[in-house]
Amino acid sequence: MPLEFLPELDVPEAAQQRRWTILLRWLLLIPQFIVVWVLSVLAIPAVIVGWFGALFMGRLPEPIEEYLSGFVAWDTRVRASAMLLVDDYPPFAWRPEDYPVRVELRPGELNRLAVFFRLILMIPAAIVQGLVVTGWYAVSFIVWLIALILGRMPDPLFGATAATLRYAMRFSAYVLMLTSAYPKRLFGDDGLPPVAAARSATRPLILSGGGKALVVVFLVLGLIGGISRTFVDYDDDNGYSLRPPGRTSTAAASPRQTVAATAANPLTAGSRP
């Protein structure tokens, strides 16, 4: 079996941020969202070619591996800024040396059987990732308002947000065959052997009781959102109404529904806010 390395995320500790950048954060990030969307479109054929390559070679072809690694790192940097974890604007660079948000990936040998059944194996992690990310975006306005008033992310909220981002990054890396390690540790790194020195605020990621409670809130809100989309229709003329069993909704997706669906797909993560 291949040696598994769980992808790591380095984010500096929560610090004071400039309120004007918090106020305009998603507006300022529009150029970055466009770039990540373009990269995600190019990633689709890369993943298809990479899947066949991994199936026969037991690992991704090197050019595919290089591109997908850079894409995941770029997307994670943009998400970290959008989720108010850092104040620094993401650079327009493939591998910036001095940006505080870093992703460590160690692509290598893959289990061919796991590659073949990747779309099936990813389903449980996809559900968890979709719920927690959707739940975070459901309260994103409150998160933004708190950060705007305080000028920083409170530690429990910072930890829960970082845990959400890290799990989403690990899910993307698994789907894109950049690791054989299944996404895990949504609730932090409690119980792991102690390290000599912490590398960053998220390595290891130790969540407080409040941080873990917020992660649970994100999951619950994501579940409620999924249930409501299943059983409730929205019509511009009639407003909200219960959907009869077996009926498929024909209403156009709301912005929040679009965000939720996009968040669940690592190849289209850059198409929001």
Side-chain angles (χ1 to χ4, degrees), residues 2 7 19 25 43 55 75 78 99 105 113 120 135 152 159 179-180 186-187 199 204 208-209 227 236 241 251 254 263:
R19 285 182 172 85
R25 182 64 53 91
L55 200 58
D75 176 58
V78 174
Y99 193 69
L105 299 167
L113 194 61
I120 297 175
R152 69 188 301 273
T179 180
S180 59
L186 175 60
F187 289 92
R199 299 195 184 187
S208 64
I227 293 173
D236 289 336
S241 61
S254 68

Side-chain angles (χ1 to χ4, degrees), residues 36-50 64 67-68 71-72 176 266-268:
V36 175
W37 179 81
V38 172
L39 294 176
S40 71
V41 171
L42 297 175
I44 295 174
V47 171
I48 296 173
V49 174
I64 302 295
Y67 178 79
L68 294 179
F71 164 67
V72 169
L176 301 180
L267 295 183
T268 58

Side-chain angles (χ1 to χ4, degrees), residues 177-242:
M177 296 165 291
L178 294 168
T179 180
S180 59
Y182 204 75
K184 56 177 72 77
R185 299 177 193 159
L186 175 60
F187 289 92
D189 297 326
D190 293 353
L192 293 180
V195 294
R199 299 195 184 187
S200 67
T202 56
R203 194 172 178 186
L205 177 59
I206 307 299
L207 295 184
S208 64
K212 293 178 181 178
L214 284 172
V215 173
V216 172
V217 169
F218 297 161
L219 290 168
V220 171
L221 289 176
L223 181 61
I224 293 173
I227 293 173
S228 66
R229 287 193 299 274
T230 301
F231 295 103
V232 178
D233 269 335
Y234 179 79
D235 186 273
D236 289 336
D237 297 325
N238 302 319
Y240 290 98
S241 61
L242 292 177

Side-chain angles (χ1 to χ4, degrees), residues 109-232:
E109 296 297 318
L110 297 168
N111 185 317
R112 290 179 174 84
L113 194 61
V115 169
F116 185 79
F117 290 105
R118 184 73 67 172
L119 289 177
I120 297 175
L121 294 173
M122 63 176 269
I123 291 175
I127 294 172
V128 174
Q129 189 261 179
L131 292 178
V132 73
V133 172
T134 300
W136 188 93
Y137 277 97
V139 298
S140 59
F141 177 77
I142 298 175
V143 174
W144 172 82
L145 193 60
I146 292 173
L148 184 63
I149 293 173
L150 300 179
R152 69 188 301 273
M153 292 271 279
D155 289 340
L157 185 56
F158 173 87
T161 301
T164 299
L165 176 63
R166 189 179 72 166
Y167 193 89
M169 179 273 294
R170 287 175 172 175
F171 173 73
S172 297
Y174 181 77
V175 172
L176 301 180
M177 296 165 291
L178 294 168
T179 180
S180 59
Y182 204 75
K184 56 177 72 77
R185 299 177 193 159
L186 175 60
F187 289 92
D189 297 326
D190 293 353
L192 293 180
V195 294
R199 299 195 184 187
S200 67
T202 56
R203 194 172 178 186
L205 177 59
I206 307 299
L207 295 184
S208 64
K212 293 178 181 178
L214 284 172
V215 173
V216 172
V217 169
F218 297 161
L219 290 168
V220 171
L221 289 176
L223 181 61
I224 293 173
I227 293 173
S228 66
R229 287 193 299 274
T230 301
F231 295 103
V232 178

Side-chain angles (χ1 to χ4, degrees), residues 16-30:
Q16 202 70 21
Q17 300 188 34
R18 295 165 293 177
R19 285 182 172 85
W20 74 268
T21 65
I22 297 175
L23 178 66
L24 303 175
R25 182 64 53 91
W26 282 21
L27 182 63
L28 295 171
L29 285 174
I30 288 177

